[in-house]
Structures are given as structure tokens and as C-alpha cells.
Amino acid sequence: MAFSLQLQQIFPSPIKFCSQPKSPNPQIFPNLTKRLSIHPLASAQNNATSNIDHNYIVTDKSSINEEEVSLPPELRRELMPKHIAVIMDGNRRWAKKRGLPVALGYAAGIRALRNFVKLSYNWGIRALTLFAFSSENWFRPEAEVDLLMGLFDKVLKDEVENLARAGIRLSIIGDSSKLPKSLQDLIDKAVMTTKANSRLHILVAINYSGQYDVVQACQTIAQKVKDGTIEPEDINSFLVEQELLTKCTEFPSPDLLIRTSGELRLSNFLLWQLAYTELFFSHSQWPDFGEAEFLEALSSFQQRQRRYGGQSS
């Protein structure tokens, strides 16, 4: 009940995303200053959402540099991972721990993501895969799903031009057919607008399942066998990899996976692609994952020997 009341403050008119996709209310983030109540938690939520309106993932060129900046002294450029996957866990727990609305946890998570992308961009990371919404997340409370769909809608509307100017390419992996039609249209526009960029490739996993990713790859290969374009003996791991949803990036297999909030599992994320990925589990909840925590993860990665099943040097 409390969560529903919080969402009514953000979304003055009820919207439905969970069952039959519908176009979200174009006023999904109106001028909240005039709409929210003066309750302290509502006021805090209002301020956080207002910040999201203007400070999303990418800002102007003063926050993301044209050239790579010098790395912190504890890092070596030749040992930097090219592709980092991230399970951004702990937004809800972060808010609940502070007695705040869950929506404020997601707002804080967006700010952490913005800083994470900026650091990755400046430090020369080539690809990021961000687990934003799993296929299992549809089972969360409907109001929370509505909130997340609204946030996806808002960031795409606000940030696609900034991404394009910064040289960032955006791709969405997952079954987008289950998303609201208006959100699907925004995704198509963002992908097309940024497809020629190469400075940093951001893959956002929305309605994604690692198990389904492998299944759909097998289905595609099976159809090719049925059509006679390949023989069964032609099937190998390389062929499977070419049919996974991460085939859109130059670096389909992450070098490093970061998961926050102390959870020690993969949660159905990139199950094939993570076969030889180095894993780093942080006790920090995602909104608290900043530069120091990122440095800790990268330093840990650079101290490891990646043997891929072979012997150590």
C-alpha cells in the first residue's frame, strides 16, 4: 500500500505496463514541484526525480572528456578490462534501509550509474553490459514495474542525443517485444541514432534471461540446419556465440563482472558469455558504488591471472 501511494505521487494518472503494453503517459514526469505533497519523504522523492530529469547518464562534455584521462596510479592501462558486465543490485534495499520510498533508491541508482559510465568512458573501457531488468522482474509489484518502465522511457527520451554527441553506442539486449510499444519505438530510435559510434558501447539488458539467450541461439541454429544452410557437425561454440544477443558488440564476452549488494550469484545473466569472466562481488549497494569501489574492483581484476583453463605463467 505504501509503495502504491508513493507511485501515485510520481505518476498522477494511473498507467499500465504489466499485462498489455500501452503507451506511457507523456506527462510521466511533469513538473513534480507543484504536484507532490509536502510530506518529507514525498519532498525528498520529488527532489530526486527532478535531479534525474536533468542529470541522467550522460551530461555535457565537461563531465565526459574527449580524450582518455590519466588512470589512477594503482591501475595499469594495458591490464584494463575491455568489457565489464554489471548487476546493479541493492537500489530497493538502499532506500528501505534509510526509510525512504523505493523510488528514491532507483533515483540514487541512476546517479551511481551516471558516474560509473563517466568513469568507464574516461578510463578507456570499451563495452558495458548493464543488467537493468530481468525476465523474472515482471513478477515484482506492478507499481514498481510501472516505475521502472517510466524511468527507461525517460532516460531514452532525454539522453539519446547526448549519447550520440559523446560517441557512445547504445544497444538493448533482451526480448523487447514484451515492452510497451512506445518504449520499443524509443529503443529503435536510440539504437539507430547511436549505431555508428564506437568510443563506448553500452548494452542494456531489459527483459533479459541468460537461459533464454542460449535457447534462442539454439533455435536459430536448429532452423539453419532444417533449412540446409549448415550441417549438424558444423555446430560449435563459435557458431553459438554468433547467435547470442551480445553478438552486436565487438567484445561479446565480458572480462569482468561486478555485482553489488553482497549477493553471490549470477541471477540468469549472460550465462554463456561469463564462462571465463573474472567475478567481483561488492558488499556496497549499487547507489553507494562509486569511484573507490570501482577502483577496488579494477585493482582486483588486474591482480588476477587469467588462464582460461591453462597453467599459470
Side-chain angles (χ1 to χ4, degrees):
M1 177 63 68
F3 190 80
S4 298
L5 292 175
Q6 294 160 17
L7 267 293
Q8 289 174 11
Q9 293 172 329
I10 296 183
F11 301 97
S13 300
I15 56 175
K16 301 291 182 182
F17 290 136
C18 297
S19 53
Q20 296 298 323
K22 297 180 181 179
S23 298
N25 186 342
Q27 299 301 319
I28 204 165
F29 282 91
N31 187 345
L32 299 179
T33 304
K34 299 178 181 179
R35 289 181 177 265
L36 291 186
S37 72
I38 58 174
H39 188 280
L41 293 182
S43 177
Q45 179 175 319
N46 174 28
N47 293 335
T49 312
S50 298
N51 288 338
I52 291 176
D53 282 351
H54 303 290
N55 294 313
Y56 238 86
I57 294 178
V58 180
T59 57
D60 59 19
K61 291 183 179 180
S62 65
S63 65
I64 286 186
N65 301 319
E66 291 288 347
E67 301 296 334
E68 293 179 0
V69 299
S70 298
L71 287 175
E74 57 265 48
L75 298 180
R76 295 171 55 185
R77 190 169 298 281
E78 69 273 16
L79 297 179
M80 290 291 286
K82 292 181 173 62
H83 183 175
I84 300 176
V86 188
I87 300 176
M88 303 174 290
D89 201 10
N91 295 306
R92 294 186 299 172
R93 276 168 283 178
W94 183 91
K96 290 178 180 179
K97 183 179 179 180
R98 290 160 175 77
L100 299 173
V102 174
L104 267 183
Y106 287 115
I110 289 295
R111 289 194 294 273
L113 176 58
R114 173 175 170 257
N115 186 54
F116 184 80
V117 170
K118 180 181 74 172
L119 292 171
S120 299
Y121 184 102
N122 287 337
W123 291 349
I125 305 301
R126 299 296 305 281
L128 296 174
T129 299
L130 310 172
F131 205 7
F133 190 88
S134 76
S135 58
E136 292 84 6
N137 287 157
W138 293 110
F139 297 106
R140 289 188 176 184
E142 183 174 343
E144 184 176 352
V145 173
D146 291 347
L147 170 65
L148 291 170
M149 294 296 154
L151 290 176
F152 296 150
D153 186 278
K154 181 61 178 174
V155 70
L156 287 172
K157 284 180 179 177
D158 285 357
E159 291 304 322
V160 62
E161 297 301 329
N162 291 333
L163 291 170
R165 284 194 296 270
I168 296 174
R169 179 184 175 189
L170 182 68
S171 294
I172 307 297
I173 61 173
D175 183 6
S176 61
S177 68
K178 301 295 192 300
L179 303 177
K181 179 60 167 63
S182 59
L183 184 54
Q184 294 180 45
D185 292 341
L186 286 171
I187 287 171
D188 291 342
K189 177 184 177 182
V191 170
M192 290 298 296
T193 301
T194 64
K195 67 177 183 179
N197 294 340
S198 60
R199 173 65 185 269
L200 172 63
H201 193 176
I202 299 178
L203 292 79
V204 183
I206 301 179
N207 194 24
Y208 177 85
S209 158
Q211 292 175 333
Y212 176 74
D213 196 358
V214 176
V215 169
Q216 66 83 29
C218 293
Q219 290 173 334
T220 301
I221 293 170
Q223 187 62 49
K224 290 182 178 180
V225 173
K226 182 179 179 180
D227 295 340
T229 57
I230 63 173
E231 297 296 328
E233 54 268 24
D234 296 329
I235 301 173
N236 55 31
S237 60
F238 176 78
L239 186 61
V240 173
E241 185 175 280
Q242 294 304 303
E243 300 298 342
L244 295 172
L245 297 176
T246 46
K247 64 185 178 183
C248 61
T249 183
E250 182 181 356
F251 309 100
S253 297
D255 302 297
L256 172 64
L257 168 76
I258 297 172
R259 178 166 189 159
T260 57
S261 200
E263 302 293 349
L264 305 178
R265 56 180 179 269
L266 299 181
S267 295
N268 199 12
F269 183 47
L270 300 178
L271 298 180
W272 179 285
Q273 297 90 332
L274 295 176
Y276 291 102
T277 298
E278 297 295 325
L279 309 180
F280 182 86
F281 298 100
S282 172
H283 289 286
S284 298
Q285 292 165 332
W286 176 248
D288 293 328
F289 192 88
E291 182 172 347
E293 290 76 16
F294 195 11
L295 280 172
E296 181 184 5
L298 292 172
S299 296
S300 174
F301 173 82
Q302 294 197 348
Q303 293 168 13
R304 303 180 189 184
Q305 289 187 338
R306 305 189 70 194
R307 298 189 290 273
Y308 302 97
Q311 295 182 352
S312 60
S313 57

